[in-house]
Amino acid sequence: MRTRGGGVLAAGVLLASLTSCASGPAAHPGPSLTAPATFYLRPVGDTSGPHDKVPFHLAATDGTGSRARDGATLTADVLPGSEKAVTLRRSGNCQGGPTHVTCEVGAQYDNWSDSPRVSPVAAEGGRAGDTGVVRFTYTTATGGKFTARTRAVVGEPVLEALTRDSLTDVRPGAELTEPIVVRNTGEVPVEGVGLELGSGEMEFTRTYANCRYPSPSRGHIAICEFPDLRIEPGRTVVLRPAVRLRASKTDMYTSYGHDVWALALGRHYGTTPRGGARGDGPALTAEPGKAPTGPYAKGGGHTAVVLDTHADYAVEAVHLHGAPGTKRTFRLTVRNQGPADAGSAARLFFEPPPGTTMVKQPMEEYDDGVHQPYCGSKDFTYTCDVGPLKPGGTRTFEFTALLGEPGTGRLILKDEAPSSAWDRGRRDDDPSDDRAVITVGE
């Protein structure tokens, strides 16, 4: 695409924990054991699942600040009556079986970064909606015991959002109205939905009273949470009123997007911005509906917006004068004559006049203090990425050469290879100025 449009556990993942209290100042937090209060298990044989689900997270500390890597133990027990729903998976130096596991751990433990590991998984034959309880016990080197319990549910809610690949031939500055449609293709209901709307380089023309617009992205990101929204497996909801966006007047390629997730599953890699004022428009509400035809994407996605406009690039001719062997420094100049910004859309191909020898070319720093040629070269031709170029802007490439006999070289602008089906390049309506000459004369 041409434009690239907190805490350890994400919001919505509740923790069950037991911590000790200490009086007076303390150098370290008290001992604790934390585990999810509820965790949804992938059914046996299910090769799919939700997008960006927070993995099972188990953490413990003895509260002393010690970095000792052994001396404590962690045990996991599937409580009686839960065996048909949940079993235990272990790795590292954990010992035990499907319902009881003991692991040797240290004074600080986090299963996201440390080994050994033990976690609940769905039992063979477990059916969607079956539940069980796993008890975890952390015993410190001095004998202190701390417990936490996780309610394990077989099956996962899988949220998908209606996501079009692209909108093309959009009038510059036009208002777009886009529906928000969410469906649950998982095995169990979702209770509580999170939604993030992103306008990219466009602007929201309607804001919602029950959504936050965090700074400094106010006007471009909306965070909406629906803790009471329940979507049964196979059901679809439509959030209304629809999103309204104002398309850019100059950015030929931009995008908007929306991410959707179950609050109970959290977001593993996605980051939910905090804070932000509420919108001043109507509330965004969910209504049952039929799933419209069209592509759906797990967790949502982005839609490319392509304006019905063009970017007229021009390359300027260069004339060099001097006897053979004369050193000359010159600039190759590319100008965007508008009216649109097409992003990184073109390359300049530079064929020097015969007999001219390049002794210096544009360089770029790719590491601290280390440089390399910016333009590629092959068969006496230099290829330079023009990069993003605003309407009215120019890009120059400075070369130094030893002149040869009088002669003529070529300067040619070409579009980058299309990045996708909707990528139309610059759509330059005057390709005659995509070519120019570079001459050497006495």
Coordinates of all heavy atoms in Angstrom, one line a residue, residues 181-182 229-231 235-240 285-292:
V181 N -19.8 -4.2 10.0 CA -20.5 -5.4 10.2 C -19.5 -6.4 10.8 O -18.4 -6.6 10.3 CB -21.0 -6.0 8.8 CG1 -21.7 -7.3 9.0 CG2 -21.8 -4.9 8.1
V182 N -20.0 -7.1 11.9 CA -19.1 -8.0 12.6 C -19.9 -9.3 12.8 O -21.1 -9.3 13.1 CB -18.7 -7.4 14.0 CG1 -17.9 -8.4 14.8 CG2 -18.0 -6.1 13.9
L229 N -22.1 -6.5 24.7 CA -22.5 -7.0 23.4 C -22.2 -8.5 23.4 O -21.1 -8.9 23.5 CB -21.8 -6.2 22.3 CG -22.1 -6.7 20.9 CD1 -23.6 -6.7 20.6 CD2 -21.3 -5.9 19.9
R230 N -23.2 -9.3 23.1 CA -23.1 -10.7 23.0 C -23.4 -11.1 21.5 O -24.5 -10.7 21.0 CB -24.1 -11.4 24.0 CG -24.0 -13.0 23.9 CD -25.0 -13.6 24.9 NE -25.1 -15.0 24.8 CZ -24.4 -15.9 25.5 NH1 -23.6 -15.4 26.5 NH2 -24.6 -17.2 25.4
I231 N -22.6 -11.9 20.9 CA -22.8 -12.4 19.6 C -22.7 -13.9 19.6 O -21.6 -14.4 19.9 CB -21.8 -11.8 18.6 CG1 -21.7 -10.3 18.7 CG2 -22.1 -12.3 17.2 CD1 -20.7 -9.7 17.8
R235 N -23.7 -15.8 14.3 CA -24.6 -14.6 14.2 C -23.8 -13.4 13.8 O -22.5 -13.3 13.9 CB -25.2 -14.3 15.5 CG -26.2 -15.4 16.0 CD -27.4 -15.5 15.0 NE -28.3 -16.5 15.5 CZ -29.5 -16.8 14.9 NH1 -29.8 -16.2 13.7 NH2 -30.3 -17.7 15.4
T236 N -24.5 -12.4 13.3 CA -23.9 -11.1 12.8 C -24.6 -9.9 13.4 O -25.8 -10.0 13.6 CB -24.0 -11.1 11.2 OG1 -23.4 -12.2 10.6 CG2 -23.4 -9.8 10.7
V237 N -23.8 -8.9 13.7 CA -24.4 -7.6 14.1 C -23.9 -6.5 13.2 O -22.8 -6.6 12.6 CB -24.0 -7.3 15.6 CG1 -24.6 -8.4 16.5 CG2 -22.5 -7.1 15.7
V238 N -24.7 -5.5 13.1 CA -24.3 -4.3 12.3 C -24.3 -3.2 13.3 O -25.2 -2.9 14.1 CB -25.4 -4.0 11.2 CG1 -25.0 -2.7 10.4 CG2 -25.5 -5.2 10.3
L239 N -23.2 -2.4 13.3 CA -23.0 -1.3 14.2 C -23.4 0.0 13.4 O -22.9 0.3 12.3 CB -21.6 -1.2 14.7 CG -21.1 -2.3 15.5 CD1 -19.6 -2.3 15.7 CD2 -21.8 -2.4 16.8
R240 N -24.4 0.7 14.0 CA -24.9 1.9 13.4 C -24.9 3.1 14.3 O -25.0 2.9 15.5 CB -26.4 1.6 12.9 CG -26.5 0.6 11.8 CD -27.9 0.6 11.3 NE -28.0 -0.3 10.1 CZ -28.4 -1.5 10.1 NH1 -28.7 -2.1 11.3 NH2 -28.5 -2.3 9.0
T285 N -24.3 1.9 18.1 CA -25.0 0.8 18.7 C -25.1 -0.4 17.8 O -25.0 -0.3 16.5 CB -26.5 1.2 19.0 OG1 -27.1 1.7 17.8 CG2 -26.4 2.4 20.0
A286 N -25.2 -1.6 18.4 CA -25.3 -2.8 17.6 C -26.7 -3.3 17.4 O -27.5 -3.3 18.3 CB -24.4 -3.9 18.4
E287 N -27.0 -3.8 16.2 CA -28.3 -4.4 15.9 C -28.0 -5.7 15.2 O -27.1 -5.9 14.4 CB -29.0 -3.4 14.9 CG -29.3 -2.1 15.5 CD -30.0 -1.1 14.5 OE1 -30.3 -1.6 13.4 OE2 -30.1 0.0 14.8
P288 N -28.9 -6.7 15.5 CA -28.8 -8.0 14.8 C -29.0 -7.8 13.3 O -29.7 -6.9 12.9 CB -29.9 -8.8 15.4 CG -30.2 -8.2 16.7 CD -30.0 -6.7 16.5
G289 N -28.3 -8.5 12.5 CA -28.5 -8.4 11.0 C -28.1 -9.6 10.3 O -27.4 -10.5 10.9
K290 N -28.4 -9.6 9.0 CA -27.9 -10.7 8.2 C -26.5 -10.3 7.6 O -26.2 -9.2 7.4 CB -28.8 -10.9 7.0 CG -30.2 -11.4 7.4 CD -31.1 -11.7 6.1 CE -32.4 -12.2 6.5 NZ -33.3 -12.5 5.3
A291 N -25.7 -11.4 7.5 CA -24.3 -11.1 7.0 C -24.3 -10.7 5.5 O -24.7 -11.6 4.7 CB -23.4 -12.4 7.2
P292 N -23.9 -9.5 5.2 CA -23.9 -9.1 3.8 C -22.8 -10.0 3.0 O -21.9 -10.4 3.6 CB -23.5 -7.7 3.8 CG -23.7 -7.2 5.2 CD -23.5 -8.4 6.1

